[in-house]
Amino acid sequence: MAQTETSSRGNWNSKVGFILAAAGSAVGLGNIWRFPTEVASNGGGAFLLIYLICCFAIGFPVMVAELSIGRKTDRNPVGAFKALSSNKFYPLIGFWGVLCGVMILSFYTVVAGWTFSYVFEEIFFFMGLESWANYFAEVSNGVKNGIFSTIFMGATVSIILGGVSDGIERATKFLMPVLIGILIIMIGYVSFQPGAGTGFAEYLKPDFSQISAPLIFSAMGQAFFSLSLGMGALITYGSYLSKKENIPEAAAYVTLADVGIAFLAGLLIMPAMYMAESFGVSIFSESGELLASTDLIFQVLPALFHSLSTTAGMIFGVSFFLLLSMAALTSTISLLEVPTSYVIDEYNVKRKKAAMMIGGGILIISLIISFDISLIGTIDFIFSTVGLPLGGFLICYFLGYVWTVENALEELEHGYPALDSSIFKAVWPIFIKFLAPLAILYNLLEAIGLVSYIEQLF
Ligand code: TRP
């Protein structure tokens, strides 16, 4: 389907192209690195359950909200809020988003750098040039981290330079199916290994007694992170979207693809964790506590690949880390696109200059993180776990009470002629005005201890 509408900002080439790009933004390290780590350190199945609820009850409605704001205004997140209201306060929501994007990208490139370096580690290992012993220690090698982060940022900037549509659409089209294929084959292999049952049970049987305020808070943060929500990435992507597209339908596809891939990653990594011992990796302490840290998958997955025959291990190990690097790249692109489009639109800077300046600036933070990887956890907590739901709350509030759902529904009707008689129209406003913002607000207040403080007063 050719793009008939013309817009100076560039547009997606086709409907599938947009879904692929948004899914490319969603699917990344969040699904395969962050999600399994969160599951493993937050009570397995209980976390999975709350995560799924957050994705569908909060994530999906917010995704529709972001896309509709973006398409309506044809702007970056800061400009979008300026366009819809004359109140000077609201563009701050966009600024907060830009800041979260910058900070998330700064550590994301470091983890993406590890992923890419593992392509080579795997090759060297199977060629017998690298021993397993000093393999993982490399993760805290600052110089090496710096080099790989720089490579990754360079790749991201060079794609952003070409504009939004071509590179991302093409890369994602083949990437996603192959990644799913590898995950499924590896899950098949893992299920026949001794000990798999424990991992599957831990993952799929929710232990309701594990559900706690911190668990819910982490699950909500994970839902926002994984779906690329709360910082205006999808306002920006929505601004490249044509009026012919059905936004709720596209958002549904993106949500399902993202949740599906995260679910598969859990099915692979949870059992693999429990058999890691037999592969020679210890991830549990003496007392049986999980030594979960940000780098869990960088130990468990290679151990799994190394338990295969040399040829199979080489094929799966190398292609897995290569594909994951590419999945990370389609995500870093969306993270960098937000500040870049902001500077292009609002300060009239050329795309090339904007991308290089911002990419370069963020790289400086990445280099600092490269030498002190303990910063990752802190920055991730502030700007992902807290920052993104906060942004999501403000977006719900803005759409529901400032721009109003009536205006949003009018925008959504383009490309969705049957909207008027749909269940979506009946339900979405309730989620955007009440359920999603209240759930987020409650959890944020709970996290800073305000809820228990208020309870004590009575
Ligand atoms: N969703 C991506 C992942 O799961 C990360 C990401 C890309 C992101 N763009 C974003 C997270 C925007 C929050 C906001 O890896």
Side-chain angles (χ1 to χ4, degrees):
M1 187 169 65
Q3 192 68 54
T4 48
E5 243 169 285
T6 49
S7 158
S8 56
R9 320 190 69 232
N11 265 307
W12 306 110
N13 291 328
S14 64
K15 170 173 178 162
V16 180
F18 166 73
I19 292 177
L20 284 171
S25 159
V27 174
L29 298 171
N31 305 59
I32 288 162
W33 160 71
R34 203 177 187 280
F35 173 71
T37 310
E38 292 276 312
V39 175
S41 43
N42 278 297
F47 182 90
L48 175 66
L49 180 70
I50 304 292
Y51 165 75
L52 291 175
I53 295 174
C54 289
C55 285
F56 293 110
I58 304 178
F60 171 73
V62 172
M63 188 181 289
V64 174
E66 284 201 27
L67 292 172
S68 63
I69 293 174
R71 188 173 68 178
K72 171 73 190 177
T73 58
D74 212 4
R75 289 279 184 298
N76 68 86
V78 178
F81 290 103
K82 276 190 196 159
L84 292 177
S85 150
S86 56
N87 186 319
K88 293 254 180 311
F89 170 75
Y90 297 118
L92 289 179
I93 305 174
F95 274 117
W96 175 245
V98 170
L99 180 66
C100 287
V102 164
M103 295 311 290
I104 292 174
L105 183 55
S106 73
F107 72 79
Y108 203 98
T109 45
V110 178
V111 182
W114 291 342
T115 310
F116 191 49
S117 75
Y118 266 52
V119 173
F120 304 99
E121 301 270 8
E122 288 293 283
I123 295 174
F124 295 154
F125 178 86
F126 284 108
M127 287 171 60
L129 298 173
E130 166 108 64
S131 77
W132 173 241
N134 63 20
Y135 191 111
F136 182 70
E138 296 263 329
V139 161
S140 46
N141 179 336
V143 175
K144 191 177 150 202
N145 288 344
I147 293 172
F148 277 96
S149 311
T150 309
I151 295 175
F152 220 87
M153 186 59 92
T156 308
V157 170
S158 60
I159 293 183
I160 290 275
L161 289 184
V164 284
S165 59
D166 290 355
I168 318 179
E169 290 185 23
R170 241 182 292 131
T172 314
K173 209 172 271 177
F174 112 102
L175 171 88
M176 219 78 86
V178 186
L179 188 63
I180 294 175
I182 291 194
L183 283 173
I184 291 178
I185 295 173
M186 291 306 297
I187 293 167
Y189 167 74
V190 159
S191 1
F192 290 106
Q193 304 302 308
T198 321
F200 285 131
E202 184 72 11
Y203 183 47
L204 299 174
K205 270 206 220 129
D207 169 2
F208 294 101
S209 71
Q210 299 254 13
I211 299 178
S212 63
L215 179 147
I216 298 174
F217 195 58
S218 305
M220 192 174 69
Q222 176 60 28
F224 274 89
F225 188 92
S226 190
L227 295 169
S228 299
L229 296 174
M231 56 152 282
L234 292 185
I235 294 181
T236 310
Y237 273 30
S239 74
Y240 307 122
L241 195 54
S242 112
K243 294 279 189 211
K244 285 184 302 199
E245 253 54 279
N246 182 333
I247 289 182
E249 184 191 74
Y253 283 127
V254 174
T255 307
L256 286 173
D258 187 59
V259 170
I261 291 184
F263 180 72
L264 287 179
L267 271 187
L268 171 63
I269 292 162
M270 287 299 283
M273 243 172 56
Y274 287 90
M275 53 188 72
E277 207 81 36
S278 62
F279 301 149
V281 175
S282 50
I283 50 163
F284 294 99
S285 71
E286 303 265 306
S287 57
E289 285 283 300
L290 179 70
L291 301 170
S293 56
T294 52
D295 26 66
L296 176 64
I297 72 146
F298 291 103
Q299 291 177 281
V300 170
L301 287 178
L304 182 65
F305 296 132
H306 299 171
S307 76
L308 301 169
S309 72
T310 308
T311 319
M314 181 86 136
I315 294 172
F316 281 100
V318 172
S319 43
F320 177 84
F321 284 110
L322 197 59
L323 283 164
L324 186 54
S325 304
M326 293 178 61
L329 188 60
T330 54
S331 298
T332 53
I333 290 166
S334 85
L335 284 160
L336 185 59
E337 181 63 21
V338 174
T340 304
S341 69
Y342 162 60
V343 172
I344 295 174
D345 289 353
E346 306 297 309
Y347 298 98
N348 237 330
V349 176
K350 285 260 176 319
R351 175 166 277 275
K352 191 169 170 189
K353 192 171 161 200
M356 301 234 259
M357 246 170 40
I358 297 169
I362 298 175
L363 181 59
I364 295 176
I365 314 176
S366 305
L367 292 178
I368 298 172
I369 299 172
S370 293
F371 285 89
D372 182 2
I373 57 171
S374 69
L375 289 171
I376 295 178
T378 317
I379 299 178
D380 183 36
F381 180 77
I382 300 173
F383 295 98
S384 321
T385 310
V386 179
L388 299 175
L390 177 63
F393 168 78
L394 295 169
I395 290 168
C396 290
Y397 173 81
F398 179 84
L399 192 147
Y401 301 94
V402 182
W403 185 36
T404 74
V405 281
E406 288 70 31
N407 284 323
L409 285 169
E410 206 179 299
E411 174 60 35
L412 290 174
E413 205 151 27
H414 298 289
Y416 189 2
L419 176 72
D420 246 346
S421 54
S422 65
I423 313 176
F424 176 84
K425 189 183 175 187
V427 176
W428 180 72
I430 303 173
F431 277 85
I432 277 300
K433 287 178 78 169
F434 307 109
L435 299 180
L438 286 176
I440 300 170
L441 188 66
Y442 181 83
N443 281 307
L444 284 171
L445 295 178
E446 172 84 44
I448 55 176
L450 226 66
V451 171
S452 56
Y453 177 75
I454 293 169
E455 273 165 8
Q456 270 169 24
L457 295 180
F458 297 99

